[in-house]
Amino acid sequence: MTTELRVLTPAEWDTWYATLERAFGGVEESAQERALWRDLTEFDRSVGVWDGGACVGTAGAFSFRMTVPGGASLAVAGVTMVGVAATHRRRGVLTSMMRQQLDDVRARGEAVAVLTASEPVIYGRFGYGVGTFELRASIDTARVRIAVPEGTDDVRLRYAPVADEAVRNTCEEIYAQAVAGRPGMLARQPGWERVPLLDPEKDREGASALQCVLASDADGTVLGFARFRVKPEWSAAGADGVVVLEDLEAVGPRAPQAYAALWRFLFGIDLTSKLTAHNRPSDDAWLHLVSDTRRSAVTLRDSMHVRLVDVGAALEARTYRAPVDVVFEVQDAFCPWNEGRWRLTGDAKGAVCVRTADPADVALSVRELGAAYLGGVPLAGLAAAGRVRELREGAVAEASVAFGSDVAPWLAHGF
């Protein structure tokens, strides 16, 4: 087989994207979705593999800024649109694209690459580790009650038109404030404000168009928002509808009250008896407001996979929950420039990570380091699974505490 890997051109986009759609089952997206993804495509960061005139492989990346522990905003590559034609599986197409992509990320000076995986088993061999999880729930709102903090009744709620520019901008301002407070969240670059508003009818599964409610203080200052759908359903006993939560954020000193007011509203929508949420932080506060988590059907699944492309720069870019001085022995067969010993010294004010000849304290692969990077996966847990080796007594516990985060890392939306 003779194939050619090359950077995507605008003229090739339709063919390239059709290859991607077929790799994901062949269901064509709406004109609205296709137009948005074409607008967002960064052509100089997108590649295709061609066999003659046929596109048989696709991969791309978005230029993002991601919050890391300590609140800094780090430039990262958001790996996306990866697909291989079923006719060309197991022929090195994917590996060639991952090789070119990580070399390009390194050349751009980005220390970290991230992705979401349709098949999580694929990306570990390229050095990606699961760094964030998403909480899913299906809450029986007919039986589960929600308690709210003092002052919640002072929060005012109002419906707002989803597509209105002023409403959209207000929601984006709230989201932008939330980004700095949670590792893993992505600052939305121009154009990305359109992504949460995608509303193709084929994806609603019988639910309504997207709706929006704003939460405000008595003086009219917006404190938070919720975007959701309502799916009417009926049983022999009567109305049995479902509220489908898409986004919910609240910020500022009165965030707990605004947050609780929005959740109480969603619990109480007429003609519904269930609320579903498909992507919430694993430490979401509603878990502490409900009367019965068992009847909330809580589950976790992997979300963002993290790859350290430059170990030293990545570990220096974040801060640490407790003082740390540890030497890592890093294995990285796919990006051998990361291999070897790295001394990390740091605390809540900053960090330095440099190569060293000193004896190693902890041995691990870049995959485990990526999993732990955002503070949501303890190194101690990875050690318990045999994926991290302690070479100096106490070193894993020291590093595990230091790498932790006060709040769970979370990816608020896919890409």
Side-chain angles (χ1 to χ4, degrees):
M1 180 185 71
T2 302
T3 59
E4 179 189 5
L5 186 155
R6 62 176 185 258
V7 175
L8 182 67
T9 68
E12 295 170 328
W13 190 89
D14 285 328
T15 299
W16 181 85
Y17 200 74
T19 299
L20 178 68
E21 286 182 318
R22 185 170 56 224
F24 280 82
V27 178
E28 291 189 7
E29 293 183 337
S30 67
Q32 178 194 30
E33 291 171 291
R34 289 177 66 87
L36 175 56
W37 293 120
R38 184 185 174 95
D39 288 347
L40 293 175
T41 297
E42 298 182 34
F43 286 92
D44 65 326
R45 305 200 68 160
S46 303
V47 297
V49 175
W50 302 81
D51 185 357
C55 181
V56 298
T58 65
F62 295 120
S63 303
F64 287 137
R65 298 203 68 86
M66 179 181 73
T67 303
V68 297
S73 179
L74 179 67
V76 300
V79 176
T80 187
M81 299 183 184
V82 179
V84 175
T87 55
H88 287 65
R89 295 178 68 243
R90 304 189 187 284
R91 301 187 190 183
V93 173
L94 177 62
T95 298
S96 69
M97 293 190 295
M98 293 294 100
R99 171 78 281 140
Q100 192 278 342
Q101 189 174 70
L102 286 172
D103 288 345
D104 180 67
V105 170
R106 185 190 185 201
R108 291 171 183 266
E110 293 165 332
V112 176
V114 296
L115 59 80
T116 60
S118 56
E119 295 182 88
V121 68
I122 293 174
Y123 292 99
R125 70 179 187 268
F126 301 116
Y128 287 87
V130 179
T132 76
F133 293 85
E134 62 184 35
L135 182 149
R136 297 185 168 196
S138 181
I139 306 169
D140 181 355
T141 52
R143 296 188 181 186
V144 179
R145 298 291 175 261
I146 186 164
V148 298
E150 184 178 349
T152 299
D153 291 341
D154 297 330
V155 176
R156 299 178 179 180
L157 302 180
R158 64 179 176 90
Y159 281 98
V162 171
D164 182 85
E165 184 177 2
V167 173
R168 184 193 67 198
N169 291 342
T170 295
C171 292
E172 285 302 302
E173 290 169 7
I174 295 292
Y175 174 85
Q177 292 179 58
V179 165
R182 189 178 288 273
M185 291 189 74
L186 303 176
R188 288 210 260 264
Q189 306 300 313
W192 280 88
E193 74 282 353
R194 296 160 57 191
V195 172
L197 303 184
L198 278 176
D199 196 22
E201 189 170 353
K202 68 178 179 62
D203 292 343
R204 297 176 190 169
E205 299 182 341
S208 71
L210 203 59
Q211 301 180 42
C212 179
V213 162
L214 300 180
S216 302
D217 226 334
D219 63 2
T221 301
V222 178
L223 307 172
F225 70 90
R227 288 191 286 230
F228 60 96
R229 310 175 193 279
V230 177
K231 183 177 182 180
E233 291 186 351
W234 300 84
S235 67
D240 203 19
V242 181
V243 177
V244 182
L245 177 62
E246 299 290 349
D247 301 286
L248 190 152
E249 295 288 351
V251 296
R254 302 210 62 208
Q257 288 77 20
Y259 175 93
L262 289 165
W263 277 93
R264 182 173 64 179
F265 161 79
L266 296 170
F267 268 53
I269 293 177
D270 288 340
L271 306 181
T272 67
S273 60
K274 185 165 68 174
L275 188 158
T276 63
H278 300 291
N279 180 18
R280 298 298 303 165
S282 60
D283 61 349
D284 210 2
W286 70 263
L287 291 164
H288 308 294
L289 299 179
V290 296
S291 60
D292 191 342
T293 54
R294 294 185 191 178
R295 293 190 182 276
S296 300
V298 176
T299 58
L300 282 179
R301 62 172 286 173
D302 66 284
S303 180
M304 187 161 63
H305 298 226
V306 180
R307 212 283 181 207
L308 304 193
V309 181
D310 183 330
V311 165
L315 294 182
E316 286 187 351
R318 56 157 294 177
T319 62
Y320 295 86
R321 202 177 193 182
V324 62
D325 183 356
V326 64
V327 175
F328 291 113
E329 179 80 44
V330 178
Q331 296 87 45
D332 190 350
F334 202 69
C335 294
W337 57 81
N338 283 325
E339 294 238 343
R341 295 175 189 170
W342 297 85
R343 177 179 288 279
L344 170 67
T345 56
D347 55 25
K349 296 180 180 179
V352 174
C353 187
V354 295
R355 289 196 173 276
T356 182
D358 294 340
D361 300 319
V362 176
L364 74 178
S365 83
V366 73
R367 181 180 178 184
E368 282 68 56
L369 209 50
Y373 182 68
L374 293 174
V377 177
L379 284 168
L382 294 169
R387 291 174 55 186
V388 171
R389 290 188 300 119
E390 183 173 73
L391 306 177
R392 170 176 63 81
E393 186 177 357
V396 167
E398 175 190 340
S400 192
V401 171
F403 270 69
S405 172
D406 290 340
V407 295
W410 178 53
L411 176 66
H413 62 82
F415 51 85

mmCIF file of all heavy atoms in Angstrom, residues 118-138:
data_model
loop_
_atom_site.group_PDB
_atom_site.id
_atom_site.type_symbol
_atom_site.label_atom_id
_atom_site.label_comp_id
_atom_site.label_asym_id
_atom_site.label_seq_id
_atom_site.Cartn_x
_atom_site.Cartn_y
_atom_site.Cartn_z
ATOM 1 N N SER A 118 -13.477 8.091 21.315
ATOM 2 C CA SER A 118 -14.629 7.231 21.036
ATOM 3 C C SER A 118 -14.348 5.811 21.510
ATOM 4 O O SER A 118 -15.254 5.092 21.925
ATOM 5 C CB SER A 118 -14.940 7.238 19.535
ATOM 6 O OG SER A 118 -13.801 6.844 18.787
ATOM 7 N N GLU A 119 -13.075 5.396 21.441
ATOM 8 C CA GLU A 119 -12.640 4.094 21.948
ATOM 9 C C GLU A 119 -11.416 4.330 22.835
ATOM 10 O O GLU A 119 -10.298 4.462 22.335
ATOM 11 C CB GLU A 119 -12.298 3.156 20.793
ATOM 12 C CG GLU A 119 -13.483 2.788 19.913
ATOM 13 C CD GLU A 119 -13.098 1.807 18.815
ATOM 14 O OE1 GLU A 119 -13.151 0.590 19.073
ATOM 15 O OE2 GLU A 119 -12.718 2.266 17.731
ATOM 16 N N PRO A 120 -11.596 4.375 24.145
ATOM 17 C CA PRO A 120 -10.494 4.725 25.053
ATOM 18 C C PRO A 120 -9.277 3.821 24.944
ATOM 19 O O PRO A 120 -8.156 4.251 25.237
ATOM 20 C CB PRO A 120 -11.143 4.607 26.437
ATOM 21 C CG PRO A 120 -12.604 4.802 26.192
ATOM 22 C CD PRO A 120 -12.876 4.195 24.849
ATOM 23 N N VAL A 121 -9.458 2.567 24.517
ATOM 24 C CA VAL A 121 -8.349 1.624 24.480
ATOM 25 C C VAL A 121 -7.279 2.042 23.469
ATOM 26 O O VAL A 121 -6.119 1.636 23.570
ATOM 27 C CB VAL A 121 -8.878 0.209 24.140
ATOM 28 C CG1 VAL A 121 -9.387 0.127 22.710
ATOM 29 C CG2 VAL A 121 -7.810 -0.854 24.399
ATOM 30 N N ILE A 122 -7.633 2.903 22.509
ATOM 31 C CA ILE A 122 -6.719 3.219 21.414
ATOM 32 C C ILE A 122 -5.530 4.061 21.850
ATOM 33 O O ILE A 122 -4.393 3.834 21.440
ATOM 34 C CB ILE A 122 -7.484 3.950 20.284
ATOM 35 C CG1 ILE A 122 -8.491 3.003 19.617
ATOM 36 C CG2 ILE A 122 -6.520 4.526 19.257
ATOM 37 C CD1 ILE A 122 -9.380 3.691 18.589
ATOM 38 N N TYR A 123 -5.767 5.063 22.705
ATOM 39 C CA TYR A 123 -4.800 6.153 22.822
ATOM 40 C C TYR A 123 -3.737 5.973 23.892
ATOM 41 O O TYR A 123 -2.776 6.734 23.947
ATOM 42 C CB TYR A 123 -5.552 7.473 23.007
ATOM 43 C CG TYR A 123 -6.308 7.841 21.752
ATOM 44 C CD1 TYR A 123 -7.670 7.574 21.640
ATOM 45 C CD2 TYR A 123 -5.657 8.403 20.667
ATOM 46 C CE1 TYR A 123 -8.359 7.872 20.471
ATOM 47 C CE2 TYR A 123 -6.335 8.709 19.504
ATOM 48 C CZ TYR A 123 -7.684 8.438 19.409
ATOM 49 O OH TYR A 123 -8.360 8.729 18.244
ATOM 50 N N GLY A 124 -3.881 4.954 24.738
ATOM 51 C CA GLY A 124 -2.861 4.716 25.745
ATOM 52 C C GLY A 124 -1.509 4.426 25.131
ATOM 53 O O GLY A 124 -0.469 4.834 25.664
ATOM 54 N N ARG A 125 -1.494 3.733 24.009
ATOM 55 C CA ARG A 125 -0.210 3.385 23.403
ATOM 56 C C ARG A 125 0.512 4.591 22.812
ATOM 57 O O ARG A 125 1.691 4.518 22.487
ATOM 58 C CB ARG A 125 -0.406 2.294 22.345
ATOM 59 C CG ARG A 125 -1.132 2.698 21.084
ATOM 60 C CD ARG A 125 -1.201 1.481 20.158
ATOM 61 N NE ARG A 125 -1.740 1.759 18.843
ATOM 62 C CZ ARG A 125 -3.017 1.644 18.507
ATOM 63 N NH1 ARG A 125 -3.899 1.274 19.436
ATOM 64 N NH2 ARG A 125 -3.416 1.881 17.272
ATOM 65 N N PHE A 126 -0.214 5.707 22.683
ATOM 66 C CA PHE A 126 0.411 6.942 22.219
ATOM 67 C C PHE A 126 0.711 7.894 23.377
ATOM 68 O O PHE A 126 1.050 9.058 23.164
ATOM 69 C CB PHE A 126 -0.473 7.631 21.187
ATOM 70 C CG PHE A 126 -0.759 6.775 19.976
ATOM 71 C CD1 PHE A 126 -2.049 6.362 19.690
ATOM 72 C CD2 PHE A 126 0.275 6.368 19.142
ATOM 73 C CE1 PHE A 126 -2.309 5.560 18.583
ATOM 74 C CE2 PHE A 126 0.029 5.568 18.038
ATOM 75 C CZ PHE A 126 -1.277 5.161 17.751
ATOM 76 N N GLY A 127 0.578 7.392 24.611
ATOM 77 C CA GLY A 127 0.983 8.163 25.780
ATOM 78 C C GLY A 127 -0.105 8.974 26.438
ATOM 79 O O GLY A 127 0.184 9.772 27.336
ATOM 80 N N TYR A 128 -1.352 8.795 26.048
ATOM 81 C CA TYR A 128 -2.465 9.525 26.658
ATOM 82 C C TYR A 128 -2.991 8.758 27.870
ATOM 83 O O TYR A 128 -3.186 7.540 27.818
ATOM 84 C CB TYR A 128 -3.612 9.710 25.663
ATOM 85 C CG TYR A 128 -3.327 10.725 24.577
ATOM 86 C CD1 TYR A 128 -2.683 10.351 23.395
ATOM 87 C CD2 TYR A 128 -3.710 12.053 24.717
ATOM 88 C CE1 TYR A 128 -2.421 11.272 22.391
ATOM 89 C CE2 TYR A 128 -3.458 12.986 23.715
ATOM 90 C CZ TYR A 128 -2.811 12.591 22.556
ATOM 91 O OH TYR A 128 -2.556 13.516 21.580
ATOM 92 N N GLY A 129 -3.245 9.486 28.967
ATOM 93 C CA GLY A 129 -3.847 8.905 30.158
ATOM 94 C C GLY A 129 -5.139 9.617 30.485
ATOM 95 O O GLY A 129 -5.278 10.820 30.227
ATOM 96 N N VAL A 130 -6.102 8.905 31.041
ATOM 97 C CA VAL A 130 -7.392 9.506 31.379
ATOM 98 C C VAL A 130 -7.198 10.467 32.546
ATOM 99 O O VAL A 130 -6.866 10.057 33.656
ATOM 100 C CB VAL A 130 -8.429 8.434 31.744
ATOM 101 C CG1 VAL A 130 -9.756 9.092 32.121
ATOM 102 C CG2 VAL A 130 -8.639 7.480 30.573
ATOM 103 N N GLY A 131 -7.406 11.763 32.295
ATOM 104 C CA GLY A 131 -7.145 12.781 33.304
ATOM 105 C C GLY A 131 -8.373 13.400 33.919
ATOM 106 O O GLY A 131 -8.289 14.018 34.987
ATOM 107 N N THR A 132 -9.538 13.282 33.262
ATOM 108 C CA THR A 132 -10.781 13.798 33.836
ATOM 109 C C THR A 132 -11.894 12.800 33.618
ATOM 110 O O THR A 132 -11.856 11.986 32.696
ATOM 111 C CB THR A 132 -11.201 15.160 33.228
ATOM 112 O OG1 THR A 132 -11.760 14.946 31.924
ATOM 113 C CG2 THR A 132 -10.041 16.136 33.151
ATOM 114 N N PHE A 133 -12.900 12.901 34.477
ATOM 115 C CA PHE A 133 -14.089 12.056 34.370
ATOM 116 C C PHE A 133 -15.327 12.941 34.329
ATOM 117 O O PHE A 133 -15.305 14.083 34.809
ATOM 118 C CB PHE A 133 -14.171 11.100 35.561
ATOM 119 C CG PHE A 133 -13.075 10.073 35.567
ATOM 120 C CD1 PHE A 133 -11.828 10.363 36.111
ATOM 121 C CD2 PHE A 133 -13.279 8.822 35.005
ATOM 122 C CE1 PHE A 133 -10.807 9.432 36.099
ATOM 123 C CE2 PHE A 133 -12.254 7.874 34.993
ATOM 124 C CZ PHE A 133 -11.019 8.189 35.545
ATOM 125 N N GLU A 134 -16.372 12.420 33.740
ATOM 126 C CA GLU A 134 -17.644 13.141 33.725
ATOM 127 C C GLU A 134 -18.690 12.344 34.490
ATOM 128 O O GLU A 134 -18.748 11.117 34.415
ATOM 129 C CB GLU A 134 -18.115 13.409 32.297
ATOM 130 C CG GLU A 134 -18.379 12.174 31.464
ATOM 131 C CD GLU A 134 -18.751 12.519 30.029
ATOM 132 O OE1 GLU A 134 -18.203 13.509 29.501
ATOM 133 O OE2 GLU A 134 -19.588 11.810 29.439
ATOM 134 N N LEU A 135 -19.477 13.056 35.263
ATOM 135 C CA LEU A 135 -20.543 12.446 36.048
ATOM 136 C C LEU A 135 -21.827 12.468 35.242
ATOM 137 O O LEU A 135 -22.180 13.483 34.639
ATOM 138 C CB LEU A 135 -20.716 13.205 37.357
ATOM 139 C CG LEU A 135 -21.759 12.697 38.352
ATOM 140 C CD1 LEU A 135 -21.293 13.005 39.774
ATOM 141 C CD2 LEU A 135 -23.116 13.355 38.115
ATOM 142 N N ARG A 136 -22.518 11.355 35.229
ATOM 143 C CA ARG A 136 -23.824 11.256 34.574
ATOM 144 C C ARG A 136 -24.862 10.871 35.625
ATOM 145 O O ARG A 136 -24.545 10.157 36.583
ATOM 146 C CB ARG A 136 -23.795 10.231 33.443
ATOM 147 C CG ARG A 136 -22.826 10.614 32.337
ATOM 148 C CD ARG A 136 -22.870 9.672 31.168
ATOM 149 N NE ARG A 136 -22.138 10.226 30.030
ATOM 150 C CZ ARG A 136 -22.257 9.787 28.787
ATOM 151 N NH1 ARG A 136 -23.065 8.755 28.511
ATOM 152 N NH2 ARG A 136 -21.572 10.343 27.813
ATOM 153 N N ALA A 137 -26.066 11.348 35.432
ATOM 154 C CA ALA A 137 -27.105 11.068 36.418
ATOM 155 C C ALA A 137 -28.465 11.016 35.748
ATOM 156 O O ALA A 137 -28.702 11.662 34.717
ATOM 157 C CB ALA A 137 -27.109 12.134 37.508
ATOM 158 N N SER A 138 -29.343 10.231 36.338
ATOM 159 C CA SER A 138 -30.750 10.190 35.941
ATOM 160 C C SER A 138 -31.554 10.231 37.244
ATOM 161 O O SER A 138 -31.737 9.212 37.914
ATOM 162 C CB SER A 138 -31.056 8.912 35.149
ATOM 163 O OG SER A 138 -32.408 8.874 34.747
#
